[in-house]
Amino acid sequence: MSVAWLTFLVWMICVWGGSAGAAVGGILATYAACLAGGAALLVALAFLPPVRRMAPPRRALLLCAVACPVPLTLAVVTLAGVG
């Protein structure tokens, strides 16, 4: 849900900037690269042999603990700043 909020916020910034005549391709490319990089790191962690040998509940807990803090923190900060 936090990634969805951040994506919505980036798209709204790009829509407003695009309607004002600003170039928004760089913002979108940077956001897409960060999102793809984070997903690639999470997948790489999931396929490490020690992680693959873990029991499924422990593996899910580890991956969720790694995946959630950064987008959640950014979403809370932006929500507090915007709201």
Side-chain angles (χ1 to χ4, degrees), residues 12-13 16 46 51 55 58 69 71:
M12 289 306 297
I13 290 169
W16 291 336
V51 176
R58 285 186 173 181

Side-chain angles (χ1 to χ4, degrees), residues 35-47:
L35 199 59
L41 286 175
L42 190 62
V43 168
L45 176 66
F47 285 109

Side-chain angles (χ1 to χ4, degrees), residues 21-37:
V24 294
I27 295 170
L28 288 175
T30 302
Y31 181 72
C34 289
L35 199 59

